Amino acid sequence: MEKSLLQNKTPRILGSFIFVVCILGECMCQVGGEAGAYLRAPVGAAMTACGGSQTAEPQYLSTWWNPAQLSNLNKSIFTLGTGLYSLGRTEAFGSFEFKLPPRVGIGLCALYRGDQVIDNLYTLDETKLETASFTTLTIKAALSYLVTRKLSLGLSFGVFYQSLPTSYNESFTESGNQTSLNYSDATSVSGFSLGMQYRVADSLSLGLVLRDIDPLQGLSGRPASITMNWQLVSPDSYNTTVTDEILPALVLGAVFKHRLYGKPLRLSCDIDGYLFDGSFTKLDHMEAHINAGAQWQRWQTFCLRLGINDIAINRDIYDASTDYWRNFGFRITGGFGWDVALFKKPITINYSAATDKVWAGLDQMLDFVYKF
């Protein structure tokens, strides 16, 4: 038996390596290919329906979108929601946000995103493995201060956790060969976002957010990036550490309020820039993502939303225009908001639906917002 195990050692290590690559590709590349790519999809049904914009003046989930908005809240807000993506990934989120008069706002937000059913996984000898799962959990706490009637500043702090299967074990028993999965995980307690909101007028708000940096690490002389140190577990003690970095984003947003046919109209636009790494060194492949949307309060308790999400702009437009337009993709989004009395409490129900970037399926999100 020992001789058999030694003979199978090399293919098992090779199989584990291939397994890691395949799982990372399945779980990461579908959402952008970067360590923090799962964070890029918009959170909240109202924001998703409006194309993933509203950074300048989020209606809720300010802890996630722009912590500077917290000090402008008129009511406390409790949010609970869930989402289902076209590739089988799911999400759940919740937040509680409130204001301490006259100038301070506080918020707490949690987001789960993952895939609970990763099947059709096999060993090198074509033995089917158990169903696997990919898990991410992000928690953010935020604080905001109202500097003037027009200007507010905010800071949020994040905790990031990810887990996925990276290898498998084989054991030999009297009943036959047994296989089991090994899970690897990574945690980072270092994510800061700095937000600013400026209300130019009652009808126009501007927002600026620097997301996902680690200034405390920067002060120590190291890159101010959020690092995820993966302890990749293998069955033969060939464990190794792989470090991923979550890229920071610089987000500029604007919200303009007007009227259409006498009904309130809200136009929003965000530009997400991925321009530098945690060392604030210019990226070799900088790009911006444009998101825009509209919300029309057609009825007193019911509003309609429509948007366009994730239009990527980079140098490939002129360096490799053929490839750029061949791979060009974006998402069409839409949804509604409905104010109802649920359990004798005034609650807003928000729903959104969006195409994925290759228009092969539909992403859906539903949340409940209670203001008191």
Side-chain angles (χ1 to χ4, degrees):
M1 182 66 71
E2 291 179 358
K3 182 177 180 181
S4 175
L5 287 174
L6 290 173
Q7 289 175 343
N8 290 332
K9 186 174 183 180
T10 299
R12 285 171 62 196
I13 296 172
L14 177 61
S16 297
F17 176 77
I18 296 173
F19 186 78
V20 171
V21 173
C22 291
I23 290 296
L24 286 172
E26 177 75 9
C27 296
M28 297 296 189
C29 292
Q30 288 180 354
V31 288
E34 296 289 348
Y38 70 94
L39 299 169
R40 298 186 185 183
V43 182
M47 295 70 151
T48 301
C50 289
S53 50
Q54 298 200 28
T55 291
E57 193 178 321
Q59 300 176 69
Y60 57 99
L61 291 173
S62 301
T63 305
W64 186 275
W65 285 87
N66 187 349
Q69 167 69 1
L70 290 169
S71 57
N72 287 308
L73 296 179
N74 296 319
K75 296 182 178 180
S76 298
I77 303 176
F78 176 74
T79 303
L80 194 63
T82 185
L84 176 63
Y85 290 79
S86 62
L87 296 175
R89 287 168 285 136
T90 57
E91 76 173 51
F93 54 89
S95 73
F96 179 59
E97 301 162 334
F98 60 96
K99 183 176 180 178
L100 294 176
R103 293 181 177 271
V104 177
I106 298 175
L108 181 66
C109 176
L111 169 69
Y112 157 80
R113 275 181 173 154
D115 190 342
Q116 293 303 303
V117 182
I118 303 177
D119 52 11
N120 296 324
L121 301 176
Y122 296 85
T123 65
L124 288 177
D125 59 2
E126 296 300 322
T127 301
K128 185 174 176 56
L129 290 166
E130 62 190 84
T131 299
S133 63
F134 169 57
T135 302
T136 74
L137 180 63
T138 307
I139 300 174
K140 291 192 174 187
L143 182 69
S144 175
Y145 185 76
L146 186 64
V147 181
T148 68
R149 292 182 179 179
K150 292 188 175 183
L151 176 66
S152 59
L153 302 176
L155 171 68
S156 70
F157 172 75
V159 178
F160 306 85
Y161 170 79
Q162 298 183 52
S163 174
L164 77 166
T166 52
S167 62
Y168 63 88
N169 284 321
E170 286 184 293
S171 59
F172 299 91
T173 64
E174 293 182 358
S175 60
N177 295 354
Q178 301 290 330
T179 60
S180 60
L181 292 172
N182 294 318
Y183 280 80
S184 299
D185 56 32
T187 304
S188 178
V189 187
S190 60
F192 289 85
S193 295
L194 308 175
M196 180 186 73
Q197 182 189 70
Y198 185 73
R199 297 194 172 188
V200 181
D202 292 340
S203 61
L204 178 62
S205 295
L206 302 178
L208 182 65
V209 180
L210 178 59
R211 288 191 181 134
D212 300 333
I213 60 172
D214 187 2
L216 298 181
Q217 185 165 272
L219 292 174
S220 67
R222 293 175 294 174
S225 58
I226 301 173
T227 57
M228 306 290 290
N229 292 316
W230 286 90
Q231 299 294 327
L232 299 182
V233 180
S234 75
D236 295 293
S237 71
Y238 284 86
N239 297 348
T240 185
T241 300
V242 175
T243 298
D244 289 325
E245 292 186 0
I246 296 177
L247 290 179
L250 183 64
V251 184
L252 175 64
V255 169
F256 178 67
K257 301 173 184 177
H258 197 55
R259 301 188 76 84
L260 178 64
Y261 295 113
K263 304 295 183 179
L265 176 67
R266 178 187 176 101
L267 303 175
S268 56
C269 181
D270 280 10
I271 301 177
D272 302 353
Y274 297 91
L275 311 175
F276 43 79
D277 59 18
S279 304
F280 295 98
T281 301
K282 186 178 70 172
L283 296 175
D284 291 334
H285 197 78
M286 297 186 296
E287 63 181 25
H289 294 253
I290 300 175
N291 312 306
Q295 172 181 303
W296 188 34
Q297 193 74 38
R298 176 62 181 83
W299 298 273
Q300 185 175 358
T301 60
F302 194 86
C303 66
L304 300 173
R305 300 182 176 114
L306 188 65
I308 187 168
N309 174 249
D310 208 12
I311 299 178
I313 305 295
N314 53 49
R315 68 185 185 190
D316 289 344
I317 295 178
Y318 52 86
D319 283 350
S321 59
T322 302
D323 292 337
Y324 175 83
W325 291 111
R326 182 171 59 244
N327 299 320
F328 182 77
F330 58 90
R331 304 202 307 158
I332 298 294
T333 65
F336 63 82
W338 183 23
D339 296 330
V340 299
L342 193 62
F343 305 114
K344 298 183 180 180
K345 301 292 184 180
I347 293 178
T348 300
I349 300 175
N350 298 298
Y351 171 79
S352 69
T355 62
D356 59 24
K357 290 201 69 171
V358 295
W359 294 46
L362 197 65
D363 302 336
Q364 300 181 76
M365 195 175 297
L366 177 71
D367 63 40
F368 301 86
V369 180
Y370 174 48
K371 297 183 179 181
F372 58 97

